[in-house]
Amino acid sequence: MEDTLQITINKTLQSRVQNLDYNNIQFAREYSDHMLVTDFKGGEWENPEIIPYGNLSLSPANPAIHYGQSIFEGLKAYKHANGKISIFRPKANYNRMNVSAKRMVMPHIPEEIFMDGLTELLRLDQKWVPDVDGTSLYIRPFLFATDEFIGVRPSQDYKFMIITTPVGAYYSKPVKVKVETHYTRAVKGGTGYAKTAGNYAASLYPAMLAQKDGYDQLIWTDGQNHELIEESGTMNIMFILNDALVTAPTGDTILDGITRDSVLTLAKDWGMKVEERPLSVKEMVEGLESGALKEAFGVGTAATIAHIEVIASDGIDYKLDESGRVFSQKMLKALTDIRLGLAEDKFGWNYYI
Ligand code: COI
């Protein structure tokens, strides 16, 4: 890459945005007109290009396909009533992506490629940012190996890309989750904290079994004894227990969620008691039985704040009453207001394009 970043822009001849039905946006059904692409070759990053969204041509010997050397991020852009567009905490995603890259032996992504690339892409595709209640533009940066070689070793070459897609709610209604005590998502010393493809692939089979039984997602427990609550595949998980906000501490088995951090930061700012500590399934079940556990919810970029209505543990369905959702409703509104510029952005989370 040259000293100053040059982004080549090759615009689509035919935008598809007029086909977007802003009043009927589901999760990631359509992809915006353009995408950012850049290669890491011969130990150097090439200048990025923004090109029309389309398919890729890959070698059948691509190591990301064979061995999963692939990482990604998820963040969102919002349209404010005055027409301004902001992205929520993109530098936090940038930093986390490089943490994942390190674990997966992939090259460090330069900040200007990620941030300037993202900004240019969003400026070009800003009509794709929906402004209907509950919608946003989901941004998916990803990095994957591109060598043509099926030996097991870190790839030498890579491709970094960003695609975007208008989204509504990931979970359209409160979710039913099941505590998983047989299968394992992550173990100490493993890749659980990295946003890498294999973590998601490994979760599909146990999640499918739970879905057959009528649950939407799992609550993962520690890989050693299956006694401690970790996270829920697509989101971190939090509880209101004895009037405190309780969530598992991050570590090498739990994703360091940016929504998780935002919720904890706001809760502390409100003077709420916040406990980042190991929480056992036993303590959670006791709280559900006694009524000391009033709320359970997932927090994530795609999921936003996903209310949990049922937690299944050891074959028993514990129901959480809708009337208990006081903190999670207040938090959802507070985060939405900050993201849409309707409330003070005290922590400087909105990045305007
Ligand atoms: C996100 O919340 O952005 C995620 O990456 C979770 C999921 C959609 C894979």
Side-chain angles (χ1 to χ4, degrees), residues 34-320:
H34 299 93
M35 59 188 190
L36 180 107
V37 191
T38 180
D39 286 296
F40 181 84
K41 276 199 181 136
E44 280 192 21
W45 285 99
E46 297 186 342
N47 277 321
E49 278 184 281
I50 292 178
I51 59 174
Y53 177 87
N55 291 347
L56 300 173
S57 163
L58 295 175
S59 159
N62 176 298
I65 299 172
H66 294 272
Y67 308 122
Q69 209 190 1
S70 174
I71 60 172
F72 70 95
E73 270 303 322
L75 58 163
K76 280 179 173 171
Y78 297 84
K79 186 172 270 172
H80 300 206
N82 62 9
K84 282 189 185 167
I85 289 171
S86 65
I87 308 174
F88 192 68
R89 305 190 68 182
K91 287 208 179 137
N93 292 89
Y94 166 72
N95 290 331
R96 188 174 65 182
M97 191 155 196
N98 277 320
V99 170
S100 302
K102 187 169 178 202
R103 179 64 178 83
M104 303 308 289
V105 209
M106 300 169 98
H108 182 93
I109 303 161
E111 185 167 334
E112 65 268 35
I113 288 188
F114 189 99
M115 292 302 299
D116 297 359
L118 184 60
T119 308
E120 284 306 316
L121 182 65
L122 270 266
R123 282 187 186 149
L124 193 61
D125 278 347
Q126 50 183 285
K127 286 200 183 131
W128 286 87
V129 186
D131 60 357
V132 174
D133 248 13
T135 65
S136 56
L137 187 73
Y138 185 80
I139 303 165
R140 174 53 65 90
F142 54 110
L143 173 70
F144 61 95
T146 52
D147 277 8
E148 187 170 28
F149 183 59
I150 55 164
V152 180
R153 61 152 204 217
S155 184
Q156 287 165 355
D157 295 344
Y158 295 86
K159 198 179 275 297
F160 172 67
M161 299 186 60
I162 307 179
I163 57 174
T164 70
T165 168
V167 293
Y170 191 81
Y171 296 109
S172 51
K173 52 184 184 44
V175 291
K176 298 183 170 62
V177 294
K178 186 190 134 196
V179 175
E180 178 60 63
T181 52
H182 176 71
Y183 294 98
T184 298
R185 174 187 172 273
V187 287
K188 281 200 166 48
T191 59
Y193 68 94
K195 219 161 162 57
T196 186
N199 288 341
Y200 295 81
S203 74
L204 297 177
Y205 182 70
M208 180 198 70
L209 295 180
Q211 279 153 15
K212 277 193 181 152
D213 289 339
Y215 301 101
D216 302 292
Q217 255 304 336
L218 297 170
I219 296 182
W220 293 105
T221 51
D222 71 281
Q224 215 164 0
N225 302 315
H226 296 292
E227 283 172 359
L228 299 174
I229 292 185
E230 297 217 311
E231 62 166 79
S232 181
T234 51
M235 51 201 186
N236 295 107
I237 187 162
M238 297 188 171
F239 304 89
I240 300 293
L241 177 61
N242 294 321
D243 297 323
L245 176 62
V246 183
T247 194
T250 54
D252 54 5
T253 57
I254 296 182
L255 191 80
D256 190 357
I258 292 153
T259 312
R260 174 187 182 281
D261 179 73
S262 308
V263 169
L264 295 180
T265 304
L266 282 183
K268 284 178 197 159
D269 190 55
W270 295 348
M272 174 117 187
K273 193 169 172 210
V274 171
E275 296 174 5
E276 282 181 79
R277 64 166 175 90
L279 173 70
S280 66
V281 176
K282 185 167 173 281
E283 188 184 350
M284 179 191 73
V285 167
E286 281 167 6
L288 287 162
E289 282 171 345
S290 70
L293 195 155
K294 297 208 175 63
E295 297 182 58
F297 50 96
V299 297
T301 298
T304 63
I305 298 219
H307 302 294
I308 293 175
E309 65 176 9
V310 170
I311 300 179
S313 178
D314 259 341
I316 301 175
D317 275 2
Y318 296 93
K319 295 201 171 55
L320 282 147

